[in-house]
Amino acid sequence: MAKNSFLDWDVVANNNTDAGGIFIGEGCPPSNINNSEREIMAQLKAGLDGKVVYAAKSGNYTAVLNDNNAVLRFTAAATLSLTAVATLVANWHVIVVADGGDVTVDPNASETIDGATTIIIPNGYSALIISNGSAFFTNKMWSIVQPKATMAFGQCRLSLSGANLLLSRFSGQLLTINGVHYSIPSAGITLAPTALTPSTLYYIYAFMSGATMTLEASATAPAVDATTGISIKTADATRTLVGMARPVTGPAWSDTVKQRFVRSWYNDPGVSLFSNFTANRATTSTSYVELNSEIRSEFLNWSGEVVQANAAGSVISGAANGQNRTSLAFDGTTTEPGGSQATLTNSDTVPFSAQAMKSGLSEGYHYVTLIGLVSSGTGTWISDVDGRRTSISGRVSR
């Protein structure tokens, strides 16, 4: 049998009587020696790797024939373009390490890798790429985190950091955008409220601007992507929902116990509310009215969340045997179950409390406030010292 590759060579020297069918046994023509040397060199070139070559890349790069058996370590997000597969020939291979950003692997023209026109190796992972002479394939290690199945990731949380919104990593680093899993930068990505309209609800979406993950604020509501099952900007799968926010005058972002105007779609722990009167508030109304808008606790609510609220403080009646009634209300003056009633003699001060558990609120902006009425005279809700100060506390969560 002709020895057409080094794998056909025999460990017994006398059995190696040809090289690729060129006879090199005793009495062979002198020219066969020259031709067999050339054949052996060709077999070694085709069948053996050179030494492993390490090369660090900080930007886009095109892999060439001489990169065979190289380890290409990318220290930033980049695109690795592959020279035509026919030029790289069968068995050409490299190891690609994404160590600073996602690496997009892009074969030449319409050529494919694992049957796709491109693949993305997420930051922190690697892949072996090999040519069979007509297409490229990988060892599939990258697909542990970048499967072709409809797996989705939301390993992030949106919060307020300084003056800007910040999308940061949480329990991982991947976010699915348009069916592809991208690594969130270690420092996160930010969004300023520049040119936004105060008191407007904005949904916050993440998208890829080239190789850079970016945030945008949009008044367009989200919808569920039928392919991936994640929430996206309606009719635009390139935008993945990561939160919602409502700027205040400035414009500026706000996230305080009185104004919970930044909510994360992923990994949101819920928010706590608190507000109180800074001055005594009085009414003579015999029907429920908001006692003063300063006690409103404003918040953004995801569909399906529940709001638990409690009010406590002290009241004074200005009429003998007068009644002060107190209740919590959402977005108006409709009472909630769990209000209180106090019957007082003139100028008595007594404590009160009220509770509410609210579900079914629409998604978006809401507030909880304190409403009250009196049977006669003037009722006053106290603000002067802790222990008597009228306040509302609450919790919004899924």
Side-chain angles (χ1 to χ4, degrees):
M1 180 180 71
K3 293 176 171 49
N4 294 318
S5 81
F6 79 96
L7 296 176
D8 296 327
W9 299 354
D10 201 302
V11 295
V12 178
N14 288 339
N15 292 337
N16 294 314
T17 58
D18 79 278
I22 302 171
F23 178 65
I24 56 174
E26 298 300 327
C28 70
S31 61
N32 280 18
I33 301 301
N34 292 336
N35 292 337
S36 66
E37 290 289 340
R38 297 185 184 100
E39 173 65 20
I40 290 170
M41 291 175 67
Q43 290 185 14
L44 290 176
K45 176 63 176 178
L48 292 178
D49 287 330
K51 66 179 181 179
V52 174
V53 176
Y54 165 83
K57 306 294 181 183
S58 59
N60 297 339
Y61 179 70
T62 298
V64 296
L65 183 61
N66 285 341
D67 288 315
N68 182 52
N69 204 38
V71 175
L72 304 179
R73 173 175 166 259
F74 287 84
T75 58
T79 295
L80 172 63
S81 300
L82 302 179
T83 297
V85 69
T87 301
L88 297 183
V89 306
N91 302 317
W92 179 93
H93 56 279
V94 295
I95 293 175
V96 179
V97 180
D99 192 22
D102 298 340
V103 176
T104 300
V105 182
D106 185 12
N108 183 65
S110 61
E111 294 176 354
T112 62
I113 180 166
D114 286 345
T117 54
T118 62
I119 65 168
I120 293 177
I121 303 172
N123 184 34
Y125 295 86
S126 63
L128 170 66
I129 298 173
I130 189 166
S131 161
N132 71 352
S134 59
F136 296 97
F137 299 90
T138 74
N139 61 350
K140 308 295 185 181
M141 288 299 294
W142 68 279
S143 63
I144 293 175
V145 293
Q146 184 67 298
K148 294 180 181 177
T150 54
M151 184 181 291
F153 291 94
Q155 297 172 331
C156 57
R157 178 179 285 173
L158 186 72
S159 62
L160 181 61
S161 178
N164 296 330
L165 298 184
L166 172 68
L167 184 72
S168 54
R169 296 176 175 179
F170 186 88
S171 296
Q173 61 177 281
L174 298 178
L175 177 64
T176 302
I177 301 175
N178 203 20
V180 179
H181 313 316
Y182 293 95
S183 177
I184 300 165
S186 58
I189 50 178
T190 61
L191 180 66
T194 306
L196 298 181
T197 303
S199 301
T200 299
L201 177 66
Y202 290 97
Y203 289 95
I204 310 302
Y205 297 100
F207 69 100
M208 297 303 297
S209 176
T212 303
M213 189 177 293
T214 308
L215 295 180
E216 74 169 14
S218 172
T220 301
V224 175
D225 184 4
T227 301
T228 62
I230 65 173
S231 292
I232 61 169
K233 186 176 181 179
T234 296
D236 187 354
T238 67
R239 267 64 175 163
T240 291
L241 177 68
V242 295
M244 62 177 166
R246 186 177 192 259
V248 297
T249 300
W253 300 120
S254 177
D255 186 29
T256 68
V257 290
K258 278 183 64 68
Q259 291 184 317
R260 290 300 191 186
F261 288 168
V262 177
R263 300 296 307 275
S264 182
W265 177 242
Y266 292 108
N267 304 297
D268 190 314
V271 292
S272 296
L273 310 174
F274 184 82
S275 59
N276 60 270
F277 284 146
T278 60
N280 291 350
R281 303 300 181 182
T283 185
T284 59
S285 177
T286 56
S287 59
Y288 276 110
V289 293
E290 185 177 29
L291 296 171
N292 192 279
S293 62
E294 75 156 340
I295 204 168
R296 291 181 181 181
S297 285
E298 301 172 285
F299 58 93
L300 300 182
N301 177 82
W302 291 113
S303 179
E305 287 191 311
V306 175
V307 185
Q308 301 178 48
N310 299 277
S314 300
V315 294
I316 298 174
S317 174
N321 297 317
Q323 292 182 354
N324 285 25
R325 296 184 183 179
T326 310
S327 178
L328 290 163
F330 290 87
D331 306 327
T333 57
T334 300
T335 60
E336 292 293 322
S340 69
Q341 174 177 308
T343 302
L344 310 91
T345 59
N346 190 16
S347 300
D348 278 348
T349 302
V350 298
F352 78 90
S353 65
Q355 303 80 37
M357 178 82 74
K358 189 71 170 178
S359 62
L361 290 173
S362 61
E363 188 166 281
Y365 170 80
H366 297 278
Y367 66 86
V368 58
T369 190
L370 200 65
I371 59 176
L373 63 76
V374 295
S375 60
S376 61
T378 300
T380 303
W381 281 255
I382 303 301
S383 70
D384 54 0
V385 294
D386 290 337
R388 301 205 313 172
R389 182 176 288 117
T390 299
S391 63
I392 293 175
S393 61
R395 182 77 182 165
V396 185
S397 60
R398 296 174 184 173

Short mmCIF file of all heavy atoms in Angstrom, two decimals, residues 149-174:
data_model
loop_
_atom_site.label_atom_id
_atom_site.label_comp_id
_atom_site.label_asym_id
_atom_site.label_seq_id
_atom_site.Cartn_x
_atom_site.Cartn_y
_atom_site.Cartn_z
N ALA A 149 -30.69 26.86 20.39
CA ALA A 149 -32.03 26.75 20.96
C ALA A 149 -32.44 28.11 21.51
O ALA A 149 -31.65 29.04 21.59
CB ALA A 149 -32.04 25.71 22.06
N THR A 150 -33.69 28.22 21.92
CA THR A 150 -34.22 29.51 22.34
C THR A 150 -33.96 29.76 23.82
O THR A 150 -34.87 30.11 24.57
CB THR A 150 -35.73 29.58 22.05
OG1 THR A 150 -36.37 28.45 22.67
CG2 THR A 150 -35.98 29.57 20.56
N MET A 151 -32.73 29.60 24.24
CA MET A 151 -32.34 29.97 25.60
C MET A 151 -32.21 31.48 25.66
O MET A 151 -31.81 32.12 24.68
CB MET A 151 -31.03 29.29 25.98
CG MET A 151 -30.58 29.55 27.40
SD MET A 151 -28.99 28.72 27.75
CE MET A 151 -29.52 27.01 27.72
N ALA A 152 -32.53 32.06 26.79
CA ALA A 152 -32.44 33.52 26.94
C ALA A 152 -31.80 33.85 28.27
O ALA A 152 -31.99 33.14 29.26
CB ALA A 152 -33.82 34.16 26.82
N PHE A 153 -31.06 34.96 28.29
CA PHE A 153 -30.38 35.40 29.51
C PHE A 153 -30.76 36.84 29.83
O PHE A 153 -30.91 37.68 28.95
CB PHE A 153 -28.86 35.32 29.33
CG PHE A 153 -28.32 33.92 29.25
CD1 PHE A 153 -28.13 33.31 28.02
CD2 PHE A 153 -28.03 33.20 30.39
CE1 PHE A 153 -27.63 32.03 27.93
CE2 PHE A 153 -27.54 31.91 30.32
CZ PHE A 153 -27.34 31.33 29.09
N GLY A 154 -30.87 37.11 31.13
CA GLY A 154 -31.09 38.46 31.63
C GLY A 154 -30.31 38.63 32.92
O GLY A 154 -30.88 38.94 33.96
N GLN A 155 -29.01 38.44 32.84
CA GLN A 155 -28.15 38.47 34.02
C GLN A 155 -27.71 39.90 34.30
O GLN A 155 -26.53 40.24 34.23
CB GLN A 155 -26.95 37.54 33.80
CG GLN A 155 -27.38 36.08 33.64
CD GLN A 155 -26.25 35.17 33.22
OE1 GLN A 155 -25.29 35.58 32.56
NE2 GLN A 155 -26.33 33.91 33.60
N CYS A 156 -28.68 40.73 34.63
CA CYS A 156 -28.40 42.16 34.78
C CYS A 156 -29.43 42.79 35.70
O CYS A 156 -30.44 42.19 36.05
CB CYS A 156 -28.41 42.84 33.42
SG CYS A 156 -29.97 42.64 32.52
N ARG A 157 -29.16 44.03 36.07
CA ARG A 157 -30.10 44.82 36.87
C ARG A 157 -29.93 46.29 36.50
O ARG A 157 -28.80 46.79 36.38
CB ARG A 157 -29.86 44.62 38.37
CG ARG A 157 -30.76 45.46 39.26
CD ARG A 157 -30.49 45.20 40.73
NE ARG A 157 -31.04 43.92 41.15
CZ ARG A 157 -30.82 43.38 42.35
NH1 ARG A 157 -30.03 43.99 43.22
NH2 ARG A 157 -31.38 42.22 42.67
N LEU A 158 -31.04 47.00 36.32
CA LEU A 158 -31.03 48.43 36.04
C LEU A 158 -31.20 49.20 37.35
O LEU A 158 -32.08 48.88 38.15
CB LEU A 158 -32.15 48.80 35.07
CG LEU A 158 -32.16 50.25 34.59
CD1 LEU A 158 -31.01 50.51 33.62
CD2 LEU A 158 -33.49 50.58 33.92
N SER A 159 -30.37 50.21 37.55
CA SER A 159 -30.43 51.01 38.77
C SER A 159 -30.01 52.43 38.45
O SER A 159 -29.60 52.75 37.33
CB SER A 159 -29.54 50.42 39.86
OG SER A 159 -28.18 50.41 39.44
N LEU A 160 -30.12 53.30 39.46
CA LEU A 160 -29.65 54.68 39.33
C LEU A 160 -28.28 54.77 39.97
O LEU A 160 -28.09 54.39 41.13
CB LEU A 160 -30.62 55.65 40.00
CG LEU A 160 -30.25 57.13 39.92
CD1 LEU A 160 -30.18 57.61 38.49
CD2 LEU A 160 -31.24 57.97 40.71
N SER A 161 -27.32 55.27 39.22
CA SER A 161 -25.97 55.46 39.72
C SER A 161 -25.54 56.89 39.43
O SER A 161 -25.29 57.25 38.27
CB SER A 161 -25.00 54.47 39.05
OG SER A 161 -23.68 54.67 39.51
N GLY A 162 -25.49 57.71 40.48
CA GLY A 162 -25.21 59.12 40.25
C GLY A 162 -26.35 59.76 39.49
O GLY A 162 -27.52 59.62 39.85
N ALA A 163 -26.04 60.42 38.38
CA ALA A 163 -27.07 61.09 37.59
C ALA A 163 -27.60 60.22 36.46
O ALA A 163 -28.56 60.62 35.79
CB ALA A 163 -26.50 62.39 37.01
N ASN A 164 -27.02 59.03 36.27
CA ASN A 164 -27.37 58.21 35.11
C ASN A 164 -27.95 56.86 35.51
O ASN A 164 -27.68 56.35 36.59
CB ASN A 164 -26.13 57.97 34.24
CG ASN A 164 -25.56 59.23 33.65
OD1 ASN A 164 -26.29 60.19 33.40
ND2 ASN A 164 -24.26 59.26 33.44
N LEU A 165 -28.73 56.30 34.60
CA LEU A 165 -29.13 54.91 34.76
C LEU A 165 -27.92 54.03 34.47
O LEU A 165 -27.09 54.35 33.62
CB LEU A 165 -30.26 54.57 33.79
CG LEU A 165 -31.58 55.33 33.94
CD1 LEU A 165 -32.61 54.78 32.96
CD2 LEU A 165 -32.10 55.25 35.37
N LEU A 166 -27.86 52.90 35.17
CA LEU A 166 -26.75 51.96 34.99
C LEU A 166 -27.31 50.55 34.86
O LEU A 166 -28.03 50.07 35.73
CB LEU A 166 -25.80 52.02 36.18
CG LEU A 166 -24.69 50.96 36.22
CD1 LEU A 166 -23.68 51.20 35.10
CD2 LEU A 166 -23.99 50.95 37.58
N LEU A 167 -26.97 49.90 33.75
CA LEU A 167 -27.28 48.48 33.59
C LEU A 167 -26.01 47.72 33.92
O LEU A 167 -24.99 47.85 33.22
CB LEU A 167 -27.72 48.16 32.16
CG LEU A 167 -28.16 46.70 31.95
CD1 LEU A 167 -29.49 46.43 32.63
CD2 LEU A 167 -28.25 46.37 30.46
N SER A 168 -26.04 46.93 34.98
CA SER A 168 -24.85 46.23 35.44
C SER A 168 -25.09 44.73 35.48
O SER A 168 -26.23 44.25 35.44
CB SER A 168 -24.44 46.74 36.83
OG SER A 168 -25.52 46.64 37.74
N ARG A 169 -24.01 43.99 35.55
CA ARG A 169 -24.10 42.54 35.65
C ARG A 169 -24.74 42.12 36.96
O ARG A 169 -24.55 42.77 38.00
CB ARG A 169 -22.71 41.92 35.56
CG ARG A 169 -22.00 42.15 34.23
CD ARG A 169 -20.58 41.60 34.29
NE ARG A 169 -19.91 41.69 33.00
CZ ARG A 169 -18.65 41.30 32.80
NH1 ARG A 169 -17.95 40.79 33.79
NH2 ARG A 169 -18.12 41.41 31.59
N PHE A 170 -25.49 41.01 36.91
CA PHE A 170 -26.09 40.47 38.13
C PHE A 170 -26.23 38.96 37.98
O PHE A 170 -26.89 38.49 37.06
CB PHE A 170 -27.47 41.11 38.40
CG PHE A 170 -28.07 40.69 39.72
CD1 PHE A 170 -27.79 41.41 40.87
CD2 PHE A 170 -28.89 39.59 39.80
CE1 PHE A 170 -28.32 41.03 42.09
CE2 PHE A 170 -29.45 39.20 41.01
CZ PHE A 170 -29.15 39.91 42.16
N SER A 171 -25.56 38.21 38.85
CA SER A 171 -25.59 36.74 38.82
C SER A 171 -25.20 36.20 37.44
O SER A 171 -25.81 35.26 36.93
CB SER A 171 -26.98 36.22 39.23
OG SER A 171 -27.26 36.56 40.56
N GLY A 172 -24.21 36.81 36.84
CA GLY A 172 -23.75 36.42 35.52
C GLY A 172 -23.40 37.65 34.72
O GLY A 172 -23.25 38.75 35.27
N GLN A 173 -23.29 37.50 33.41
CA GLN A 173 -22.87 38.64 32.58
C GLN A 173 -23.56 38.69 31.23
O GLN A 173 -23.28 39.57 30.43
CB GLN A 173 -21.36 38.58 32.35
CG GLN A 173 -20.88 37.33 31.64
CD GLN A 173 -19.39 37.33 31.37
OE1 GLN A 173 -18.93 37.97 30.42
NE2 GLN A 173 -18.64 36.66 32.22
N LEU A 174 -24.52 37.77 30.97
CA LEU A 174 -25.09 37.67 29.63
C LEU A 174 -26.47 38.30 29.53
O LEU A 174 -27.28 38.23 30.46
CB LEU A 174 -25.18 36.20 29.21
CG LEU A 174 -23.86 35.44 29.12
CD1 LEU A 174 -24.09 33.99 28.75
CD2 LEU A 174 -22.91 36.11 28.13
#
